[in-house]
Amino acid sequence: MGLLELLLLSAGLAMDAFAVSVCKGLSQKKVTLKAMLVCGIWFGIFQALMPAAGYLLGVQLSGYVTEITPWIAFALLAVIGGNMVREALSEETESEINASLCAKVMFAMAVATSIDALAVGVTFACVPVKVFAKAGRTVNTLFGVGCIGIITFLISCIGVKIGGVFGSKYEKKAELAGGIILVCLGLKILIEHLIL
């Protein structure tokens, strides 16, 4: 896997985090640099940790990892998205769960959006990253993992800002749309797994 493929892979993996970041921005009354950084850091770190863990698991567990990760991602996204829909349809004026940047909420969202990267890490064991010709496999893999994390960080920060700009005008409808997006994202992951 060369640099171009790695960059495309990184951007593709970051799209789940981007969608959740937009939803997070939708639920903020005012998007701050702190909110952008919190989302970027959580999603970036987990998006980097998961392929590293997948790589360490190696080829022996690839069948097991591939079978279970879509179900975990679906369950987490369905719960988080369902909460957003419930909050949007309730009479309360603020969604504390989805607006929250607390570790518990961010952890669940970070795991949900990065679980597919675990399987990508297993792929790194089969199809090594070859960005630096003279460097060893470990250096190339670490570069690949770092690239995924940094791109996810940047895309997540941008997503929070985009969500904040849109959400300040449409609050409840935007939150409802965000919840539906998360549930659909979970369904998409599960359906792709079942079809392929």
Side-chain angles (χ1 to χ4, degrees):
M1 179 181 307
L3 182 59
L4 179 60
E5 292 90 355
L6 179 62
L7 292 173
L8 291 172
L9 174 69
S10 299
L13 286 174
M15 287 302 106
D16 289 354
F18 174 75
V20 175
S21 295
V22 169
C23 296
K24 186 58 85 171
L26 291 171
S27 66
Q28 301 291 310
K29 287 196 174 205
K30 181 181 178 188
V31 174
T32 62
L33 179 61
K34 177 187 174 186
M36 292 169 62
L37 290 175
V38 166
C39 287
I41 289 168
W42 272 99
F43 295 140
I45 286 174
F46 271 81
Q47 206 72 308
L49 286 177
M50 288 295 195
Y55 178 73
L56 294 175
L57 285 174
V59 183
Q60 297 84 0
L61 299 178
S62 64
Y64 175 73
V65 170
T66 303
E67 291 300 315
I68 193 170
T69 55
W71 292 96
I72 295 169
F74 168 71
L76 290 171
L77 288 171
V79 167
I80 294 165
N83 261 343
M84 287 181 75
V85 169
R86 183 182 55 80
E87 293 281 339
L89 297 175
S90 75
E91 296 298 318
E92 296 174 17
T93 56
E94 182 180 340
S95 170
E96 292 177 19
I97 294 277
N98 301 310
S100 174
L101 297 173
C102 75
K104 181 180 176 184
V105 172
M106 292 308 301
F107 176 79
M109 290 183 170
V111 170
T113 57
S114 65
I115 197 91
D116 55 342
L118 187 67
V120 169
V122 173
T123 327
F124 283 174
C126 304
V127 182
V129 176
K130 294 180 183 175
V131 176
F132 305 111
K134 294 182 180 181
R137 188 173 187 160
T138 303
V139 170
N140 277 301
T141 301
L142 288 174
F143 178 82
V145 165
C147 186
I148 291 169
I150 290 168
I151 288 176
T152 301
F153 168 80
L154 295 172
I155 288 176
S156 297
C157 289
I158 292 167
V160 173
K161 184 66 176 174
I162 289 171
V165 169
F166 179 73
S168 63
K169 296 178 182 176
Y170 300 103
E171 291 186 50
K172 287 286 188 181
K173 290 180 184 176
E175 188 175 8
L176 177 63
I180 292 170
I181 288 169
L182 290 183
V183 172
C184 290
L185 186 60
L187 282 171
K188 175 186 161 281
I189 291 168
L190 187 60
I191 288 169
E192 283 176 353
H193 168 68
L194 294 174
I195 290 175
L196 301 175

